Amino acid sequence: MTGIGAGLLLQLGLGALAVVSALMAAPSLRSRAGGILCTLIAVTGFVTGLAALLGATGGLLIPIALPMDPLLLAPDRLGGLFMLVVSGVGILVSLYSMSSTRGPDASRTAWVAMPVFLVGMQLVPAATDSVSFLLAWEIMTLGSTVLLLADHASRASVASAGIWYSAMSQLSFFFILAGFAVLAAASGGTSFANLQIESGSWPANVAFVLFLLGFGGKAELVPLHVWVPRVLPEAPSHVSAAMSGAMVKVGVYGGLLVCVRLLPDGPAWWGIAIMLIGGASALYGILQASVSSDLKVLLAYSTTENMGLVFLGLGASMLLRGYDATAAADAALVAALLLAVSHAAFKSTLFLGAGAIIHATGERNLDRLGGLGARMPVTAAAFGVASLGAAAIPITSGFVAEWMLLQSLIHGGRLDGAVVSVAASVAMPLAVAVIALTAGLALLTFVKAYGIAFLARPRSTAAADAHEVPPLMQLALALGALSVLALGLLPGPVAALVAHTVSPNPTAAVQSVGLGGVSLPGIGAVLDPIMLVVLSALVAIPVIVSIIVSARRHPHRTVDLPWGGGGSRARPRMQYTATSYAEPLVRVFDDVLRPSRDVQVTHVAESRYLVERVQVEQRVSDVFETRLYRPVLNLFQRYGIVVRQVANGSIHRYLSYSFVALLIVLIVVSL
Amino acid sequence: MFETFYPQLIGLCTGALLLTSALMVWRHSLLASIRLLALQGIALAALVAVIGIAEGEPELVLVSLLILSVKGVGLPWVLAHQSKASIKQIQESPRLNPTAALLAVTLLTILSYVVVSRVFGLGDTTTGHAAPIGLAMVLIGFLLLISRRRARSQLIGFLLLDNGIATIAFLTSGGVPILLEFAVSLDVLLVVLILHVFAGRMRTKFGGTAVDQLRELHD
């Protein structure tokens, strides 16, 4: 057996051991034992994925008696990359959950589901045939559903989220299953090697649409994202982190599997369709995130935005490849992958940070937080670094990916005299505009998330009484933040490795230069973050030194301002809140967001001219849910009521149906 | 001698079967329905005996005795196993009024003649000509099942249906093997016993056996 095969087998064995330990261990030991075993599963997956990414081959053959291609788990380089990403998130989450879980989150059921979820996610990228792919996919979905429902008994919103999640997951699974079925029927095999058919044929087009719907649902793309703002906020935070950081990447992997492996070189409209959906998701996601004042809803919608950008890159690369702009196409694809990797790092850290805030204060409403920076320094630092990543600020991972995506789109748009369709020549500049707008809104969003939660003064007693979380949770947060920085400071080696997974000629597309810098030879662009840091330090140090020197020369006088300048009597309620900070945005994008506002004015009893209190409530509902899903659901409900009339439990009615059916059959045969 | 009477005897027996079926639909009293069922059992036994004598098969005569004991005596006795005074008072309030029900019986009988003659052909034999009666009995039994409210009345519909199936079997192929007939008869007896006990339990539990009031059970 090869090393990869041993690694996969070890993951399965450790998963079984973790399930047994969750069932047998005493409640006091359960979280510790489960956390350690889950960490081991994730570490094994990390090592296996790294080996596969570096080019090791081998696999695990699962013997079956069914008449189809054999079930083989053998990750290639791309699968290895995603196994690495997923299990990297798994390590953070497992470490974190060891001390964060309590109450129903630490129940026997939840700790059984955790290793199942992790193993399922880690095996999806290893599958080399549709049957084992679907099997691992369902294991993943099952584990995540059970984890989500851990707290269903005490909170009704969890149960509702569970229903949405199950329904949307099953819809995704149905589409993926149908996609594989179409391909298998057209090609006559079930393994990925046998599934390939000509990309222009109509089964390929049908399968593409089915796969896009299926994997798009898992990757939270508009309009299949409706489960996201319900599920990610309601799940326990470490589960949200695993879902948003890792499970969503499995959806991305599915998209890549289809567009790069199974059906490469598709027609131009495939690329344009993916770009459209990706762009719409990016814009809609970040708009919703920017106006949300619930920290976890904000992070959930931001996930939709990031996945939109990933698919935008994927679509652009498909479109560019169609016009033989190979270098730009490779750069766009590598950018999409880098964005997926960096999103895994910063979004899992952000969700874990949100979990730490909830752990410390019990609040996830930004309007009731504040001042946590001084009370939870480690969480604040980690959340801050991850926020920089999410806002795509230099020296973090998010920046490198978006920079590369923009480079490929701008330079790819020229296309060197190739005859380009109107759609494509419009799509590229539009995509650049979309990325620019999302980048700006993302900056606003995360300034809000960090500033309102961690800076200023506490807006509630819960925030004022906050305390730093236990050391293991701090360790997970610190590791996550470090990975965000490392990916941002040393993008070269990572990008070069990633390029090996998708490009036939990786060194022509992406090279590592200097101290971990990245270069795109086909486009002629270079980025060296460490050099950037050194340069800005060279500029900043003289400035800082001169400021200090001048400050020494003019000693600071403390002046007591008369009446405190209005500052000494400021109360926490006078500060900006998340809602007020986002208010201009809500006004600007009023037509898209359609917020509902509720203003309640209570007058003093003596006079209607004096106001005792004013209460403002603003809700931003999901347009897709109210306009698209609700009508469909209502239709189903009406249909359900009609059907209930048909089958109302009366035995006479059922007998009448049989009798009428018998009579009809008799009349028909005698005609 | 017997050959000249044979078609008339067959006609008499099948006529009795059809008549009792129609009367069962017409009458609302449970006791009357049970008596009609007993009559029908006797008519069926007579039919089997006539066929057995005509075909010269002593086995069929044995079967006719079995039918007489189970369908003519046993089942009606089980159904009527209650004091005569109380059973007389049980009146069915069917979902179809008698006129409509009798009209439906007529239509069903015509339909079964049409179906049998079109699909299978009536054949040349006397028994073949009478075969549609069996199908008509099956359909009428079904009609009873869906139009009666009480559990025991529905049971009678079920037994009528079973009689219909037996009639078709005897008229078209001279009956099923004796062992099979024996087993089926016992099965039917068992089913009726179980349902009877069940109906009794329903009566003590819910105060009645009106099936259409039990629809809440599906939740």
Side-chain angles (χ1 to χ4, degrees):
Chain A
M1 181 180 280
T2 58
I4 301 269
L8 291 167
L9 201 61
L10 193 58
Q11 288 177 48
L12 284 171
L14 283 169
L17 192 63
V19 168
V20 171
S21 107
L23 288 174
M24 311 286 279
S28 54
L29 286 174
R30 198 183 289 142
S31 288
R32 196 51 47 104
I36 289 171
L37 283 169
C38 284
T39 312
L40 285 178
I41 293 172
V43 168
T44 316
F46 195 82
V47 174
T48 315
L50 188 63
L53 177 62
L54 292 171
T57 53
L60 186 65
L61 187 75
I62 301 167
I64 49 160
L66 296 172
M68 55 173 92
D69 292 340
L71 301 192
L72 179 63
L73 297 173
D76 55 4
R77 278 173 184 267
L78 186 63
L81 173 68
F82 275 88
M83 193 186 264
L84 182 83
V85 169
V86 166
S87 50
V89 174
I91 295 174
L92 296 184
V93 168
S94 307
L95 283 175
Y96 181 93
S97 61
M98 232 185 283
S99 59
S100 79
T101 49
R102 42 188 181 186
D105 298 350
S107 69
R108 185 178 286 159
T109 320
W111 273 114
V112 168
M114 188 73 186
V116 171
F117 182 36
L118 285 181
V119 169
M121 280 199 296
Q122 288 172 197
L123 292 188
V124 172
T128 63
D129 64 277
S130 46
V131 178
S132 51
F133 184 93
L134 291 168
L135 205 63
W137 185 275
E138 271 303 84
I139 291 173
M140 170 182 89
T141 307
L142 189 73
S144 58
T145 312
V146 173
L147 279 170
L148 162 67
L149 286 172
D151 202 9
H152 73 97
S154 54
R155 287 189 296 145
S157 52
V158 174
S160 152
I163 291 172
W164 274 91
Y165 182 62
S166 314
M168 295 306 286
S169 298
Q170 285 312 304
L171 201 64
S172 280
F173 182 76
F174 165 75
F175 282 128
I176 296 167
L177 184 66
F180 276 127
V182 169
L183 278 192
S187 68
T190 55
S191 77
F192 291 160
N194 292 339
L195 273 181
Q196 284 161 358
I197 60 173
E198 200 187 328
S199 291
S201 58
W202 74 263
N205 282 325
V206 172
F208 170 77
V209 173
L210 289 171
F211 280 131
L212 185 60
L213 288 171
F215 292 124
K218 209 54 161 183
E220 311 190 352
L221 296 184
V222 166
L224 297 160
H225 69 287
V226 280
W227 59 273
V228 181
R230 291 170 174 276
V231 170
L232 292 187
E234 295 305 336
S237 289
H238 64 285
V239 179
S240 320
M243 280 183 168
S244 172
M247 186 181 75
V248 167
K249 302 304 170 303
V250 179
V252 173
Y253 171 74
L256 286 164
L257 179 74
V258 173
C259 299
V260 179
R261 277 290 131 73
L262 296 179
L263 303 167
D265 309 321
W269 73 265
W270 289 12
I272 291 173
I274 291 187
M275 280 180 85
L276 261 179
I277 293 177
S281 305
L283 277 180
Y284 186 75
I286 198 62
L287 263 180
Q288 284 281 359
S290 65
V291 299
S292 171
S293 53
D294 183 316
L295 182 57
K296 285 182 83 176
V297 173
L298 181 150
L299 295 177
Y301 271 120
S302 148
T303 307
T304 296
E305 175 236 357
N306 282 287
M307 290 308 104
L309 289 181
V310 170
F311 275 80
L312 188 66
L314 173 63
S317 113
M318 289 164 73
L319 196 58
L320 289 168
R321 207 176 295 282
Y323 295 114
D324 287 332
T326 314
D330 282 349
L333 198 51
V334 172
L337 283 170
L338 273 186
L339 195 55
V341 174
S342 68
H343 178 260
F346 67 68
K347 194 49 66 66
S348 45
T349 312
L350 285 171
F351 265 115
L352 294 181
I357 293 176
I358 295 171
H359 192 273
T361 66
E363 282 287 346
R364 55 176 222 237
N365 187 350
L366 281 171
D367 289 344
R368 297 177 57 78
L369 293 172
L372 296 179
R375 292 166 179 79
M376 310 169 69
V378 177
T379 308
F383 197 93
V385 170
S387 294
L388 291 179
I393 302 293
I395 76 158
T396 62
S397 53
F399 173 72
V400 181
E402 289 201 17
W403 172 83
M404 205 187 268
L405 189 55
L406 276 175
Q407 289 290 344
S408 67
L409 287 175
I410 292 168
H411 293 280
R414 289 196 302 237
L415 290 178
D416 299 331
V419 184
V420 180
S421 71
V422 179
S425 57
V426 172
M428 290 293 166
L430 264 185
V432 173
V434 165
I435 295 173
L437 184 56
T438 50
L441 287 173
L443 189 59
L444 273 177
T445 306
F446 284 96
V447 165
K448 179 181 79 178
Y450 185 80
I452 303 284
F454 289 98
L455 304 181
R457 297 199 223 163
R459 293 174 182 80
S460 65
T461 47
D465 298 340
H467 51 86
E468 188 57 280
V469 289
L472 263 176
M473 289 163 77
Q474 291 182 31
L475 175 67
L477 284 165
L479 281 178
L482 280 179
S483 65
V484 173
L485 282 180
L487 287 170
L489 283 172
L490 302 166
V494 182
L497 258 183
V498 167
H500 273 92
T501 63
V502 285
S503 173
N505 188 7
T507 47
V510 180
Q511 284 174 356
S512 176
V513 293
L515 279 172
V518 61
S519 147
L520 307 172
I523 293 172
V526 179
L527 174 72
D528 197 336
I530 290 188
M531 285 310 288
L532 263 178
V533 171
V534 171
L535 260 179
S536 33
L538 284 180
V539 175
I541 286 171
V543 174
I544 294 169
V545 167
S546 62
I547 288 172
I548 292 172
V549 169
S550 71
R552 286 255 174 90
R553 210 167 284 168
H554 307 286
H556 184 62
R557 287 187 300 155
T558 51
V559 180
D560 248 347
L561 289 171
W563 311 295
S568 63
R569 289 176 63 190
R571 287 183 295 157
R573 284 176 57 86
M574 293 176 181
Q575 304 171 102
Y576 259 99
T577 62
T579 310
S580 59
Y581 183 85
E583 208 273 340
L585 272 176
V586 178
R587 275 180 196 278
V588 173
F589 296 102
D590 192 55
D591 288 341
V592 186
L593 296 169
R594 299 192 174 274
S596 63
R597 264 186 219 99
D598 203 6
V599 183
Q600 280 187 346
V601 182
T602 314
H603 297 284
V604 177
E606 289 79 29
S607 165
R608 281 192 52 77
Y609 297 104
L610 295 175
V611 172
E612 191 181 0
R613 53 182 295 186
V614 181
Q615 192 178 7
V616 181
E617 200 179 351
Q618 176 177 290
R619 278 179 303 275
V620 181
S621 56
D622 194 310
V623 181
F624 287 93
E625 191 184 317
T626 50
R627 295 289 169 85
L628 181 66
Y629 284 80
R630 280 289 156 207
V632 174
L633 290 179
N634 289 343
L635 197 73
F636 271 108
Q637 195 145 20
R638 248 175 290 159
Y639 172 74
I641 289 167
V642 172
V643 167
R644 209 174 292 169
Q645 284 300 313
V646 172
N648 65 348
S650 155
I651 195 154
H652 288 109
R653 188 162 291 193
Y654 298 154
L655 285 170
S656 309
Y657 292 146
S658 327
F659 186 52
V660 170
L662 177 66
L663 287 183
I664 289 174
V665 168
L666 285 179
I667 291 169
V668 167
V669 295
S670 62
L671 281 179
Chain B
M1 176 71 183
F2 183 76
E3 276 70 30
T4 52
F5 282 121
Y6 174 61
Q8 289 174 23
L9 281 175
I10 292 284
L12 183 66
C13 293
T14 49
L17 286 172
L18 189 59
L19 188 67
T20 46
S21 308
L23 286 176
M24 267 191 238
V25 174
W26 183 48
R27 293 299 297 268
H28 290 175
S29 148
L30 185 63
L31 191 61
S33 294
I34 293 171
R35 283 182 181 154
L36 284 168
L37 192 70
L39 268 180
Q40 195 171 55
I42 295 166
L44 187 60
L47 177 72
V48 175
V50 169
I51 295 174
I53 293 166
E55 311 253 322
E57 287 188 43
E59 248 188 11
L60 276 182
V61 180
L62 253 175
V63 169
S64 89
L65 286 177
L66 181 69
I67 290 175
L68 187 68
S69 61
V70 173
K71 296 192 170 174
V73 180
L75 286 172
W77 183 78
V78 169
L79 283 173
H81 179 64
Q82 206 170 6
S83 69
K84 281 272 164 79
S86 68
I87 206 167
K88 263 181 191 160
Q89 289 161 7
I90 298 177
Q91 287 287 330
E92 176 67 36
S93 52
R95 298 153 70 91
L96 270 176
N97 67 47
T99 325
L102 283 178
L103 199 64
V105 168
T106 322
L107 287 177
L108 289 176
T109 313
I110 294 171
L111 177 73
S112 49
Y113 266 95
V114 171
V115 168
V116 173
S117 61
R118 283 289 190 86
V119 179
F120 309 106
L122 285 176
D124 305 327
T125 57
T126 320
T127 51
H129 274 286
I133 302 285
L135 185 59
M137 284 167 71
V138 170
L139 294 179
I140 294 167
F142 225 132
L143 184 70
L144 269 184
L145 264 180
I146 62 173
S147 66
R148 293 294 197 242
R149 290 177 203 271
R150 296 182 157 276
R152 268 204 281 188
S153 309
Q154 287 197 319
L155 207 49
I156 290 170
F158 170 70
L159 289 173
L160 175 52
L161 205 154
D162 181 64
N163 283 349
I165 293 172
T167 309
I168 296 178
F170 287 117
L171 287 177
T172 52
S173 60
V176 284
I178 184 165
L179 203 64
L180 206 59
E181 172 62 28
F182 193 68
V184 170
S185 296
L186 277 183
D187 265 359
V188 171
L189 187 62
L190 202 64
V191 166
V192 169
L193 274 173
I194 289 171
L195 288 179
H196 193 67
V197 171
F198 188 60
R201 299 293 298 226
M202 269 163 69
R203 197 165 39 245
T204 52
K205 187 96 182 162
F206 306 114
T209 56
V211 175
D212 56 356
Q213 283 171 12
L214 298 178
R215 66 182 58 176
E216 288 306 318
L217 285 175
H218 72 105
D219 275 333

